[in-house]
Amino acid sequence: MLEVVTDWFTEAQTGIVWDALVVAGIFAGSVVFAFTLGRKSLIVAFVAVVFAGLVVQLMPSTESIPYLADYPEAQTDVVLFILGAIIFGLIFRRNRFFEPYIVPTGLERFVFAAILAGLIVVILGSFWTGDTQSAYVAKIFFHPVARLAWLLAPVVMLAIFRGDNT
């Protein structure tokens, strides 16, 4: 039985694309966040991700910082994006401007989670300099029209879905 399972995993590795697994992991993490910790702060997460992406895009080079100069720029950008999103999320969550007056519920929460995941993938993809994306991931997230759609999707969803007053 163990040999069958190990053979299946060995054969499955040839058909699995690493970037599709990363996208699936980001999507799953976004859905879990939307239904647990971020239940009442999903809109704050959108704003935090956008601010973190802007800060990392507009930040000067990190080569002048001695302990970051040894790492590739894409890696430092990803780490700084994640740290920035967490810090901005914590700051904005405590801000009275972002009080949870309207909270997405049910299907709306799932749609917002999917769009948040797509937005994160598009922002992380902008840091990537290689051409090693799989064909489907490149078409869905990194084509110029798809990238524009993912960047505008949060605004459109905020205009369409009303949410629940709390």
Side-chain angles (χ1 to χ4, degrees):
M1 179 69 180
L2 183 60
E3 291 177 15
V4 172
V5 172
T6 56
D7 289 340
W8 182 81
F9 277 122
T10 305
E11 292 173 9
Q13 288 178 352
T14 60
I16 296 175
V17 182
W18 70 269
D19 59 348
L21 287 176
V22 170
V23 169
I26 291 172
F27 177 78
S30 179
V31 169
V32 168
F33 173 76
F35 283 95
T36 57
L37 295 174
R39 227 175 54 239
K40 299 212 182 253
S41 62
L42 203 51
I43 306 307
V44 171
F46 277 112
V47 176
V49 165
V50 169
F51 269 67
L54 285 174
V55 166
V56 172
Q57 286 289 336
L58 300 175
M59 184 177 59
S61 178
T62 57
E63 292 176 359
S64 60
I65 302 172
Y67 52 90
L68 290 179
D70 296 336
Y71 296 103
E73 188 174 354
Q75 286 181 357
T76 58
D77 287 346
V78 169
V79 169
L80 291 175
F81 169 72
I82 292 170
L83 287 174
I86 291 170
I87 290 170
F88 281 125
L90 292 174
I91 291 171
F92 291 154
R93 192 170 183 179
R94 305 257 184 247
N95 192 340
R96 295 186 58 85
F97 183 76
F98 293 105
E99 286 184 1
Y101 292 117
I102 297 178
V103 178
T105 59
L107 178 63
E108 295 171 355
R109 192 174 293 160
F110 181 79
V111 170
F112 273 101
I115 291 174
L116 179 64
L119 184 65
I120 291 170
V121 169
V122 166
I123 291 174
L124 288 176
S126 67
F127 305 142
W128 189 256
T129 57
D131 291 333
T132 58
Q133 297 105 2
S134 63
Y136 291 120
V137 171
K139 286 180 185 176
I140 293 172
F141 294 103
F142 303 127
H143 188 272
V145 175
R147 181 175 288 180
L148 178 67
W150 282 110
L151 291 174
L152 291 177
V155 176
V156 172
M157 288 300 114
L158 287 173
I160 292 174
F161 288 125
R162 177 157 169 91
D164 185 24
N165 295 335
T166 54

